Amino acid sequence: MGLDFDWNDLRFLIALHRGRSLVAAARSLAVDPTTVGRRVAALEKRAGARLVQRTPEGFVLTEHGLRLLSAAEGIEEAFWSFERAIAGGDSRLEGTLRVTTSEILGPLFLLPFLGEFKARFPGIQVELAMSTRVLDLMRREADVAIRLARPSGASLVSKHVGQHTIGIYGSAAYLKRKGLPTSSADLRAHDWLGYDESLSELQESQWLERMIGPVPYVLRTNSPRILLDACVAGYGLAVTAHFVERHHPTLRRVLPEEMPPPRDIWIAYHRDLRKLGRVRAFVDFVTEICERERARLQGQGHRS
């Protein structure tokens, strides 16, 4: 490898290894797929060896590519550690704060309070990414994550900020058409909306199966937001968070005595950012909001 070696090309090798496809790698780097292919090919030319090969499961690294990957990830971690060290010393209450959360918590719980956060901290600009995938706090894809399961990682600081409860819901139009269930046995005769196999481990999905047996799904999805929208549209019953009632007055809770276990709400950030002013301000704000809204999060004062 000559002195003209471009360390920036390593980003493309790492992204292709993690994404397994040119499209996925391009998406993570905000470039087009042809750029990924071109940069990896240039890296192979300078290395004088094949680094990747295409398989039915996607791109995989060759033995030489794996050796280079190990060094590349070490360089990547050193870069992000340096970047976090610089950012972590900034105590000012200004700048951009990248927050990732779920499709339901984001728009239906957090978003209504961001105006209050902006009024308190006008110098902080929030970027909100709503996704079911866990954005990487190590690589600053996000500064703060709000999740319904404790994010793992020895370098992460995780704080439990509350719980939200879950129930069975249907739209007024659906219940008028199909009838209101009065017992768990009645639920087997209803149309159900649920998650697909990729989210079958969610406790609400498992709880529903335990309660009524094989679930007669009419729609399955990997998107909590699509699930909720389909329920509001009258397509069937769904298990969703109680706090959605505030935004969807046509929803009615079914069998309020039947509830799966509550979901914990966690907020996490990298320990290198614990002194970053805008991170501290946001964590304190979310903690305050979860305490203030505890009754709504736990389904008290619901409609039925």
Side-chain angles (χ1 to χ4, degrees):
M1 231 175 258
L3 293 177
D4 63 341
F5 177 68
D6 187 351
W7 287 106
N8 192 51
D9 286 340
L10 292 174
R11 296 171 53 241
F12 293 86
L13 181 69
I14 293 171
L16 187 57
H17 167 68
R18 291 172 178 161
R20 290 295 190 95
S21 74
L22 294 174
V23 171
R27 188 182 302 117
S28 70
L29 295 170
V31 298
D32 60 80
T34 57
T35 298
V36 176
R38 185 175 67 252
R39 297 296 287 268
V40 171
L43 183 59
E44 289 183 319
K45 183 176 181 180
R46 282 193 287 274
R50 286 285 301 277
L51 302 177
V52 299
Q53 59 186 8
R54 191 189 294 269
T55 73
E57 291 74 36
F59 285 94
V60 297
L61 299 187
T62 64
E63 184 178 347
H64 195 85
L66 287 170
R67 287 199 297 269
L68 186 57
L69 176 72
S70 178
E73 289 183 327
I75 294 170
E76 180 190 44
E77 173 52 31
F79 169 80
W80 288 118
S81 179
F82 179 72
E83 202 273 348
R84 289 192 306 265
I86 293 175
D90 186 357
S91 61
R92 296 172 299 169
L93 296 174
E94 58 185 54
T96 299
L97 181 75
R98 293 180 290 272
V99 179
T100 176
T101 187
S102 73
E103 294 178 337
I104 297 296
L105 275 176
L108 299 184
F109 178 69
L110 180 61
L111 194 59
F113 298 102
L114 287 185
E116 181 181 344
F117 181 78
K118 182 65 176 175
R120 290 192 200 179
F121 307 102
I124 300 177
Q125 296 82 47
V126 176
E127 292 182 356
L128 189 59
M130 288 170 282
S131 170
T132 52
R133 86 179 179 93
V134 179
L135 295 181
D136 199 326
L137 298 175
M138 303 291 291
R139 298 196 299 272
R140 297 291 306 279
E141 290 183 61
D143 300 309
V144 177
I146 304 173
R147 291 296 183 215
L148 298 177
R150 185 174 189 171
S152 59
S155 300
L156 300 183
V157 177
S158 297
K159 181 179 182 181
H160 184 264
V161 293
Q163 289 184 323
H164 80 80
T165 51
I166 306 165
I168 302 170
Y169 282 87
S171 72
Y174 170 84
L175 294 171
K176 181 178 180 180
R177 185 172 75 250
K178 297 285 287 190
L180 181 68
T182 58
S183 70
S184 57
D186 292 344
L187 296 175
R188 298 186 183 93
H190 279 264
D191 299 330
W192 281 93
L193 317 170
Y195 295 111
D196 64 18
E197 290 298 325
S198 68
L199 295 175
S200 60
E201 78 287 352
L202 289 180
Q203 63 186 39
E204 49 263 48
S205 299
Q206 296 177 356
W207 169 81
L208 185 60
E209 277 204 20
R210 287 194 302 269
M211 186 169 65
I212 70 172
V215 183
Y217 289 116
V218 296
L219 181 145
R220 302 185 77 178
T221 178
N222 65 350
S223 167
R225 191 58 194 256
I226 289 177
L227 185 77
L228 175 61
D229 289 347
C231 185
V232 172
Y235 205 50
L237 299 180
V239 180
T240 191
H242 288 144
F243 61 77
V244 305
E245 290 182 349
R246 175 178 179 178
H247 303 274
H248 296 289
T250 63
L251 287 184
R252 297 291 180 267
R253 195 192 301 192
V254 174
L255 297 178
E257 68 279 6
E258 300 285 359
M259 290 195 302
R263 300 293 302 273
D264 292 315
I265 304 174
W266 294 85
I267 190 164
Y269 52 94
H270 196 282
R271 66 186 179 195
D272 289 349
L273 301 183
R274 61 189 180 276
K275 295 183 179 179
L276 183 61
R278 53 188 180 270
V279 167
R280 290 203 318 272
F282 188 77
V283 170
D284 290 345
F285 179 78
V286 172
T287 303
E288 175 191 329
I289 292 301
C290 286
E291 177 60 29
R292 187 199 308 171
E293 296 292 311
R294 181 167 52 178
R296 187 162 65 89
L297 283 170
Q298 296 184 2
Q300 299 172 20
H302 67 276
R303 299 185 308 270
S304 59

